[in-house]
Amino acid sequence: MFNIEANLQADKQYDAIAIAVFDTTKPLQGTLLSLNDMLNGQIEALLKDGDVSTKKNKITKIHTLGHTHIKRLYFVGLGKQEKVSFTSVREAFGSLFKTLKAEKRTNIAIDLSTFSQDNLEWNDIAHALGEAIPTATYEFEGYKRKANVPDFSLESIEIIAAECDHEELKSALEVGYVYGKATNSARTLINLPGNMLTATDLAEYATTLADTYELELEILEKEDMQRLGMGGILAVNQGSVEPPKLIVLKYQGKETWDDVIAFVGKGITFDTGGYSLKPREGMVDMKTDMGGAATVLGAMEAIAELKPEQNIIAIIPSTDNMVSGNAFKPDDVITMLNGKTVEILNTDAEGRLVLADGITYAKQHGANYIVDVATLTGGVIVALGNDITGAMTNNEAWYEEVLEASLEAGEDIWRLPINDKFKDRVRKSKVADLNNSPGRDGHAIFAGTFLGEFAEETPWVHLDIAGTATTKSEYPLGPSGGTGAIVRTLVTLAERFGNNE
Ligand code: BES
Ligand code: ZN
Ligand code: ZN
C-alpha cells in the first residue's frame, strides 16, 4: 500500500495530496513550491491571505480546478511549530485520514517532508502515520441490518520524502501500521456486546490468534480451575451459566524461557456487580469490562507480528459476573490459588479476584515481571479522568520501564501510591487473610494494593484502564467506544525492554 518517492510523479493523476502547514509566512519549498508554480502563484496568495488554517488538526481543502494532475490539496494544520511532537503529528494524521475517508479519497500522496521537524525523527513521523491510518479510519460494524460503515479502502498512498533512508522509513511505517491494527483488534473486542463475546468466545478468539501466529496456547477449563484451586475466578463465575476460561498465550522470542514478562488482563465479559448489584445506569457499558483482556490480546497480535527478542506470557482470566441462586455473596470467604483467604465484602469488586489468580498463575509459570491491565475501578476515573491510565507498582525499576514505554507510545499513565496504611486496610478481616473491598475512600488504590498481595516480590505494575479503555466521543484517532488504550505501551515495552542499556 505504501510507495515511497523522493518527488511527486509528474505523469500520475492524484485524488489528493496532503501537506502540513504551521507557518504561512515561510518561503515555500519542495512540492509546495512546484505546486505554486503550476497554479500561477495562487498557493502563496492563499497562505498569505489566511485561507489555509494552521490550527492543530484543522484540515483545509483546496480544489485545483483541473490546473494540475493533483485534484485537491489537503492542508493539515499542525499548530505551533515548537509544540509539534510525535503525538501531535499522529493526531494530525488522524484528522487527515478521517477527512480522506469521509470524502472517499483513495489515491493520495502525502508530502512527508512538510511534516519533518528538527525535534522529530523521520522514523517517528513514519510510525505516527502508520498508526494513524488504521486507527483514524476504524469503525465498529455493529449489527444494523443496513450497514452503517462506509466502504473505504485506500488503493495507494504515495509518500514523498526526500533526504532520508526510504527502506528505514518504510519499515517504520509498517511497524506503526501493525501497532494501529492491533489497537483496532482490541477496540473490536471491547465493542462486542456481552452476548456476542462470552469467555468461550474470547478463548476461541485467542485460539485463532495462536493458530495464525504459532503461539503456544493453553485454555484452563472450570474443572482445571477446581483441581488447581483457583478460588477467585471460580467464585466470580459461580452465578453464571457461562463456563469460565483462563486463557494462556506464550510467545517465546529467546532461546531459553527466562526473563519472562507476563501480561495479565481482566476478562470480565459483563459485570452486573453480582449481589452487590450495580445501579441500572452504572451497568450499561459493562460489556467493556474485558478491556484488559482486549489490550493484552491486541498486544500479543502485534508482538507475534513484530517478533521482538522477548519472552511473553499472556494470561486472561475470563467470566461474566452474574446473579443467581448459585452466585457468590458478601460475607463469603474464598481461598485463592496462592492459598490466601479472602472475605468478600462486595461482589462488584470482582476484577481483583480473577486477576489475583491470574497473577499467581503467571508466577507459577515463570513470570519474572508482571503487568496487569484492567478496567478495575470507577475510582480511577474520579482521580485521573478519561485520558490518563492509573498505575501502581511494587518495584521502582520495573515501573520506570513501563513508564518509558508509555511515554514512547504516547499513552499517558500516572502513578498512585501504595503504602502500609492501604495494606493494613486490605489485610483487615476477622475471618480471612484479606478483604476485597475496604471502602470507597481511595478505592482505586485498594484494588491495586489487593493485587500487590499476590504479586508479592515479583516486579509488578498494575494499570487501571477503567477511564481510558473507552470514550464517549469521537477523537482524531478513532470513534467513540473502545480505544485500545495501552496496547501500544505493552508492545513498546516488549520491543524496548532490555535493549536500552
Ligand atoms: N468493572 C468495574 C469498574 C469500572 C467502573 C469499569 C466504571 C469501567 C467503568 C469494577 O468491577 C467495579 O465494579 N468496581 C467497583 C469497586 C468497588 C466495589 C470497590 C467500583 O469501581 O465501584
Ligand atoms: Zn465490578
Ligand atoms: Zn468489573
Side-chain angles (χ1 to χ4, degrees):
M1 176 164 68
F2 303 116
N3 184 23
I4 303 174
E5 303 282 352
N7 295 299
L8 265 181
Q9 310 300 99
D11 51 351
K12 221 177 128 178
Q13 296 291 317
Y14 296 91
D15 273 353
I17 182 170
I19 301 161
V21 276
F22 346 64
D23 189 346
T24 49
T25 58
K26 262 178 124 182
L28 302 181
Q29 288 180 333
T31 325
L32 217 45
L33 189 62
S34 37
L35 278 166
N36 193 51
D37 290 344
M38 286 182 229
L39 297 166
N40 304 323
Q42 286 306 308
I43 302 267
E44 203 172 2
L46 282 170
L47 292 172
K48 266 214 183 98
D49 294 349
D51 286 314
V52 174
S53 174
T54 58
K55 242 176 106 184
K56 212 170 138 228
N57 300 339
K58 181 96 183 140
I59 312 293
T60 310
K61 181 172 79 173
I62 307 283
H63 206 286
T64 59
L65 303 173
H67 290 294
T68 76
H69 59 306
I70 305 167
K71 271 197 174 167
R72 300 161 193 87
L73 316 179
Y74 285 81
F75 288 98
V76 183
L78 282 188
K80 289 209 171 71
Q81 188 154 12
E82 59 277 13
K83 285 202 172 163
V84 171
S85 64
F86 169 70
T87 46
S88 76
V89 168
R90 185 170 66 182
E91 268 197 12
F93 283 134
S95 302
L96 169 67
F97 275 88
K98 281 204 157 188
T99 309
L100 293 172
K101 178 176 178 175
E103 300 184 4
K104 293 200 165 76
R105 309 287 166 231
T106 53
N107 164 27
I108 57 165
I110 300 178
D111 185 359
L112 217 59
S113 310
T114 58
F115 289 82
S116 156
Q117 289 302 301
D118 290 344
N119 61 338
L120 256 188
E121 310 241 335
W122 273 106
N123 287 358
D124 289 336
I125 298 172
H127 183 110
L129 175 61
E131 268 188 27
I133 294 169
T135 50
T137 58
Y138 170 81
E139 273 181 85
F140 180 65
E141 270 186 37
Y143 303 94
K144 291 187 194 243
R145 281 166 303 167
K146 217 164 159 215
N148 60 353
V149 177
D151 215 11
F152 175 75
S153 67
L154 286 158
E155 280 164 27
S156 86
I157 304 180
E158 196 152 295
I159 304 214
I160 316 298
E163 294 158 39
C164 71
D165 182 324
H166 285 186
E167 278 312 304
E168 266 187 36
L169 194 76
K170 191 159 186 212
S171 75
L173 258 167
E174 283 166 356
V175 170
Y177 198 78
V178 169
Y179 274 59
K181 291 289 268 188
T183 302
N184 287 350
S185 301
R187 289 172 173 181
T188 297
L189 289 171
I190 294 172
N191 291 335
L192 284 166
N195 63 333
M196 303 284 186
L197 188 82
T198 61
T200 304
D201 296 326
L202 206 56
E204 255 171 46
Y205 179 90
T207 308
T208 311
L209 200 65
D211 290 346
T212 313
Y213 294 106
E214 292 176 15
L215 299 170
E216 204 181 303
L217 172 84
E218 183 187 23
I219 310 273
L220 297 192
E221 305 293 339
K222 188 171 174 177
E223 304 72 53
D224 302 313
M225 298 174 193
Q226 283 164 335
R227 184 170 41 79
L228 294 166
M230 294 186 158
I233 180 166
L234 285 169
V236 177
N237 179 255
Q238 247 170 250
S240 178
V241 292
E242 287 293 334
K245 305 278 171 182
L246 187 120
I247 303 161
V248 184
L249 282 171
K250 270 189 196 171
Y251 163 82
Q252 182 163 352
K254 293 187 186 195
E255 294 261 302
T256 50
W257 187 249
D258 51 20
D259 285 332
V260 179
I261 304 176
F263 294 151
V264 184
K266 172 175 172 181
I268 298 294
T269 56
F270 193 82
D271 184 10
T272 66
Y275 272 100
S276 313
L277 199 65
K278 286 188 181 294
R280 56 173 72 94
E281 315 78 45
M283 205 186 291
V284 175
D285 255 3
M286 278 303 130
K287 64 174 182 184
T288 64
D289 211 16
M290 32 54 69
T295 307
V296 168
L297 288 168
M300 289 309 275
E301 173 187 324
I303 288 166
E305 287 221 11
L306 300 172
K307 300 195 173 21
E309 243 178 74
Q310 209 75 256
N311 292 330
I312 317 270
I313 183 167
I315 297 189
I316 294 165
S318 183
T319 173
D320 45 5
N321 184 21
M322 305 296 283
V323 207
S324 89
N326 295 326
F328 78 139
K329 315 172 285 303
D331 289 351
D332 283 359
V333 175
I334 63 174
T335 305
M336 308 291 285
L337 177 61
N338 71 349
K340 291 193 180 179
T341 54
V342 178
E343 179 184 12
I344 304 301
L345 296 181
N346 192 323
T347 61
D348 198 10
E350 84 298 339
R352 66 199 74 182
L353 302 174
V354 303
L355 285 170
D357 279 349
I359 288 172
T360 305
Y361 198 69
K363 285 179 23 172
Q364 292 176 347
H365 282 71
N368 302 96
Y369 308 90
I370 301 173
V371 181
D372 82 74
V373 191
T375 49
L376 208 58
T377 65
V380 83
I381 312 175
V382 178
L384 299 175
N386 289 100
D387 291 315
I388 305 176
T389 293
M392 278 159 254
T393 190
N394 61 0
N395 185 293
E396 299 297 321
W398 181 231
Y399 178 73
E400 216 39 53
E401 294 287 345
V402 176
L403 177 64
E404 288 295 324
S406 82
L407 289 170
E408 197 174 314
E411 299 188 301
D412 286 330
I413 70 171
W414 197 261
R415 186 158 158 198
L416 300 172
I418 294 179
N419 65 19
D420 285 346
K421 282 198 173 153
F422 282 102
K423 288 184 190 167
D424 290 344
R425 296 270 301 273
V426 165
R427 290 173 187 164
K428 193 164 176 276
S429 167
K430 283 206 172 112
V431 290
D433 299 323
L434 307 168
N435 78 80
N436 82 328
S437 183
R440 292 206 69 84
D441 49 328
H443 75 266
I445 302 179
F446 285 130
T449 309
F450 182 91
L451 296 177
E453 297 292 314
F454 295 83
E456 295 176 308
E457 301 308 313
T458 308
W460 151 84
V461 170
H462 159 59
L463 297 175
D464 192 337
I465 56 167
T468 51
T470 57
T471 175
K472 292 213 180 322
S473 39
E474 179 189 4
Y475 58 114
L477 289 162
S480 62
T483 59
I486 301 298
V487 169
R488 289 166 276 184
T489 296
L490 295 188
V491 184
T492 308
L493 179 67
E495 286 212 294
R496 73 194 297 281
F497 182 52
N499 305 328
N500 50 338
E501 270 95 330

